[in-house]
Amino acid sequence: MRTRNRRVSEEMEINLVPVLDIFVALIPFLLLTAAFVRLAGVSVNVPSFATAKSSVSSEKDERVQLTFQIEKGHILVSGFTEGFRKSVPEAKKLFTIQELGKLSAFIDDLHGKFLHLDQGIIHADASVPYQDVMRVLDVLEQSKALRGLSLAAGGGE
Amino acid sequence: MMRTRSRRLATTTKLNLVPMLDMFTFVLIFLVVSFAPQEAKYRSHASLKLPVATSKVLKSSKLHLQLLGDDLILNGKPIKGVKINTANAEAWNQVKTSLQATSNERQAIVLSADRNDSFGRVDRLVAKLSSMGFEDIYFLAEQMKEELK
């Protein structure tokens, strides 16, 4: 009897079921690590009383410190030198909250005039919406004229 | 007499794909988790709408504090018994303890608050944080594509 060896060709089949199970398990990981909204922010320094007191510049300091008083709908800019002892009239101006572009141009203009701008100190009224304060902080941070931003936290009163 | 013939059976090596795909899956999960964007670290409460800003720099910090109404949420966990408007010294000590338990260093605090909230509440919180020694505050915002005019 003649036997004939047959080579039975086996076709390789990929079982898709466990592959799909793994992909389904990957979906929660992707959802947790996905970023649907791009985040940004503004960094400010909030000095305590002791830190603020020690950082007040001396009388001979010619750097101009700008203060930004934010009240509902308005921003009052003021400038001081010599450790807040001397006022800078050219730096005093009032803006509305819609004139942030003009505020930015004004700060750049001051930087061109005085060259040495120190930190910007922001104080906002408690009733001002948080979004408005953030808009002002954003504009000030983008302006490279200021050395940094400090927030004069009044405790919400 | 039977003639035996040694046969050399031709063997073909088959590549088993199953363990290879398992390893690729583990590697993929590791890559997804390790290269996740920084935004994934800061999960805000669903009802909290962040303000918008054009700044593109995102700071990294271990301390993420959310101000939701009068409640405080630190790294996703609410700090119980603390209400911003009525908190006494003991409650603020509890906040201080929670912050110091998370991070020993005087790190920057990433602060999230609702855009429609009044600044007074944020101001009170920031003032208290400053008195605790946390002077570096990062106000978190959504990145806005258009520049302010």
Side-chain angles (χ1 to χ4, degrees):
Chain A
M1 210 158 90
R2 206 173 180 179
T3 55
R4 195 173 179 182
N5 289 323
R6 290 177 194 172
R7 179 180 288 178
V8 178
S9 60
E10 293 176 0
E11 288 180 2
M12 189 77 174
E13 290 180 357
I14 297 175
N15 187 5
L16 285 177
V17 173
V19 172
L20 289 174
D21 286 341
I22 294 295
F23 284 160
V24 166
L26 274 176
I27 288 170
F29 275 103
L30 289 171
L31 284 172
L32 284 171
T33 56
F36 297 104
V37 175
R38 285 284 165 198
L39 296 177
V42 178
S43 186
V44 294
N45 185 39
V46 188
S48 59
F49 179 73
T51 313
K53 198 176 176 185
S54 63
S55 67
V56 171
S57 48
S58 66
E59 288 181 5
K60 295 178 184 177
D61 199 338
E62 292 181 354
R63 287 180 297 181
V64 177
Q65 290 187 320
L66 294 179
T67 62
F68 301 88
Q69 177 69 31
I70 306 171
E71 292 181 4
K72 208 155 190 180
H74 294 91
I75 307 153
L76 176 63
V77 184
S78 306
F80 301 92
T81 55
E82 297 173 11
F84 289 96
R85 291 175 182 85
K86 190 178 173 185
S87 171
V88 179
E90 299 94 323
K92 193 160 189 176
K93 200 166 181 181
L94 185 69
F95 296 91
T96 63
I97 206 73
Q98 283 77 28
E99 294 174 332
L100 293 176
K102 290 181 183 177
L103 172 65
S104 178
F106 178 69
I107 295 168
D108 292 337
D109 188 44
L110 285 176
H111 181 59
K113 277 183 191 172
F114 296 103
L115 297 176
H116 300 291
L117 288 183
D118 203 356
Q119 287 209 348
I121 300 168
I122 300 105
H123 182 263
D125 194 45
S127 60
V128 174
Y130 179 51
Q131 173 66 70
D132 287 350
V133 177
M134 274 302 293
R135 289 177 68 191
V136 175
L137 288 173
D138 185 40
V139 165
L140 295 179
E141 197 190 46
Q142 294 218 358
S143 166
K144 301 298 175 191
L146 293 168
R147 262 184 42 187
L149 294 175
S150 289
L151 187 68
E157 293 166 4
Chain B
M1 206 163 124
M2 236 167 123
R3 204 174 178 178
T4 55
R5 193 175 177 184
S6 61
R7 292 171 193 166
R8 180 179 283 177
L9 292 171
T11 55
T12 55
T13 307
K14 293 179 185 175
L15 185 64
N16 190 1
L17 288 174
V18 174
M20 192 173 83
L21 288 175
D22 286 342
M23 291 315 300
F24 280 161
T25 307
F26 285 126
V27 169
L28 184 64
I29 291 171
F30 172 75
L31 288 173
V32 165
V33 172
S34 60
F35 287 100
Q38 271 188 324
E39 282 89 344
K41 290 182 192 173
Y42 303 123
R43 292 281 166 188
S44 294
H45 196 270
S47 59
L48 197 144
K49 287 186 182 176
L50 291 172
V52 290
T54 56
S55 169
K56 291 178 184 175
V57 178
L58 183 59
K59 207 165 192 171
S60 178
S61 172
K62 289 180 190 175
L63 298 170
H64 179 209
L65 200 57
Q66 295 180 63
L67 181 59
L68 196 66
D70 271 347
D71 299 322
L72 279 177
I73 301 171
L74 176 63
N75 292 341
K77 293 176 188 173
I79 303 176
K80 292 178 184 176
V82 177
K83 299 283 180 188
I84 292 293
N85 284 331
T86 56
N88 53 11
E90 193 183 324
W92 287 115
N93 270 334
Q94 190 185 344
V95 173
K96 189 178 180 180
T97 309
S98 302
L99 288 168
Q100 288 175 340
T102 307
S103 173
N104 292 326
E105 302 156 346
R106 290 292 188 225
Q107 270 210 348
I109 293 180
V110 175
L111 183 61
S112 298
D114 193 272
R115 66 176 74 153
N116 298 317
D117 210 355
S118 67
F119 185 70
R121 204 172 279 163
V122 177
D123 193 32
R124 183 174 294 129
L125 174 61
V126 165
K128 287 294 180 184
L129 291 174
S130 171
S131 66
M132 292 174 199
F134 295 96
E135 296 182 352
D136 193 5
I137 307 291
Y138 186 80
F139 292 111
L140 201 62
E142 280 181 20
Q143 193 175 323
M144 189 166 65
K145 290 178 186 176
E146 297 169 6
E147 288 188 5
L148 292 166
K149 293 182 183 178

